[in-house]
Amino acid sequence: MASVSTRPVDETPDKELLARHAAGDPHAFAELVNRHRDRMWAVAVRTLGDPEEAADALQDACLSAFRAAGRFRGDAAVTTWLHRIVVNACLDRIRRKSVRPATPMGDDATFDAVAPKAPDPTDAHGVALDVRSALAVLPFEQRAALVLVDMMGYSVDDAARVLEVPPGTIKSRCARGRARLAPLLTHHRNRPGPRNVGGVEGGGTPR
């Protein structure tokens, strides 16, 4: 096995952190999750629409990533790999329940207890709940594509890598999803703010 750097974990690139974790470093994985937890949470809660379900999916995803780190091939960004695991964890929860995510968001105390403290840009325009409720009516594949592209700022190519489908499929899913969302969100059309459906300021290109 190749030698692993001993530089401090907070100065270590993502891929090296995974290698250090696989080699037995007890601190490397915690640092990796700490770096990416907010965006992993955003993928989960926007895909499932329920903070309690999202918290469970995020826990499942972290456990899967912890166990699978040694199999990471390094042919994609670690962010892409982590978000793929989160999307799969969300899909697994939907399959197990055999129902689509419910639109109720739970009480504020529950949300505050499990959510990261970073602000959601959609809340600034008062549309977060409407967007989540509208997303809940979409098929999972369209919802996942829109979450990554329109809400997380992924390029079509990067979203395709996360979902492991061709870029053309992402474009098709996004187009169909936007067409279904449009009549549900027409009352927000003239409000100021980001062009994307709940986009993240400054984009979100995976590193």
Side-chain angles (χ1 to χ4, degrees), residues 3 6 10 31 43 52 67-68 72 75 82 85 103 108 116-117 120 156 165-166 188-189 192 195 198 201:
S3 62
T6 58
D10 60 351
E31 169 64 20
V43 171
E52 294 186 8
R67 293 172 172 171
F72 178 71
D75 54 355
L82 288 171
I85 292 174
T103 56
D108 291 339
K117 301 308 178 186
D120 184 342
V156 168
V165 297
H188 292 297
R189 183 168 297 167
R195 294 173 57 191
E201 293 181 2

Side-chain angles (χ1 to χ4, degrees), residues 138-186:
L138 299 181
F140 179 85
E141 292 79 8
Q142 293 176 14
R143 190 187 325 152
L146 282 177
V147 165
L148 292 174
V149 175
D150 282 359
M151 301 181 77
M152 302 304 300
Y154 269 80
S155 69
V156 168
D157 287 343
D158 286 331
R161 293 186 187 99
V162 171
L163 298 178
E164 298 183 296
V165 297
T169 300
I170 296 295
K171 292 179 181 178
S172 175
R173 290 176 180 178
C174 285
R176 293 176 182 176
R178 290 174 190 136
R180 294 187 66 173
L181 285 180
L184 302 176
L185 299 172
T186 52

Side-chain angles (χ1 to χ4, degrees), residues 3-80:
S3 62
V4 177
S5 170
T6 58
R7 79 180 91 186
V9 291
D10 60 351
E11 300 175 4
T12 303
D14 288 347
K15 290 184 179 181
E16 188 176 322
L17 279 177
L18 273 182
R20 287 175 61 163
H21 164 64
D25 186 322
H27 307 295
F29 190 76
E31 169 64 20
L32 188 68
V33 171
N34 184 59
R35 289 181 187 178
H36 297 287
R37 182 174 182 271
D38 282 2
R39 286 178 64 78
M40 292 169 69
W41 163 260
V43 171
V45 77
R46 288 165 172 168
T47 301
L48 291 172
D50 182 323
E52 294 186 8
E53 285 291 312
D56 289 340
L58 185 56
Q59 184 176 13
D60 292 345
C62 286
L63 181 59
S64 295
F66 184 91
R67 293 172 172 171
R71 299 194 298 274
F72 178 71
R73 298 187 301 272
D75 54 355
V78 172
T79 307
T80 300

